Amino acid sequence: MLQLKIVSPEKQVFKGEVIRVIVPGSMGEFEILEHHAPIISSLDKGRVTYQSQGKDTQVLDIRGGFVEVQKNEIRLCVEL
């Protein structure tokens, strides 16, 4: 299980456990699953998609930001 935290300059958007996250990376969309290699990437305008265990997929439209992945923890700092 992955720990996801999404924050914007205004507020914390989401914090919880997810099974996958798809982000609009600057060099193309990519998916983050459990045990993903550590990475820091800029994000372009697009959609962040994440799914919690046993729940529907959630979609968040962003104008850009950054993502950091390390040890099954994903931190997104985004502009909404």
Side-chain angles (χ1 to χ4, degrees), residues 3 12 19 23 26-27 29 31 34 36 38 46-47 50 65 80:
Q3 296 294 323
Q12 180 171 292
I19 57 174
V23 295
S26 296
M27 304 221 18
E29 182 178 88
E31 184 172 22
E34 241 184 318
H36 194 285
R47 290 188 162 176
Y50 55 96
L80 301 176

Side-chain angles (χ1 to χ4, degrees), residues 2 19-25 28-37 39 43 47 49-51 57 67 69 74:
L2 298 162
I19 57 174
R20 68 185 192 116
V21 180
I22 301 171
V23 295
E29 182 178 88
F30 63 95
E31 184 172 22
I32 303 164
L33 299 169
E34 241 184 318
H35 308 297
H36 194 285
I39 187 172
L43 301 175
R47 290 188 162 176
T49 306
Y50 55 96
Q51 183 177 6
T57 300
V67 61
V69 179
I74 305 167

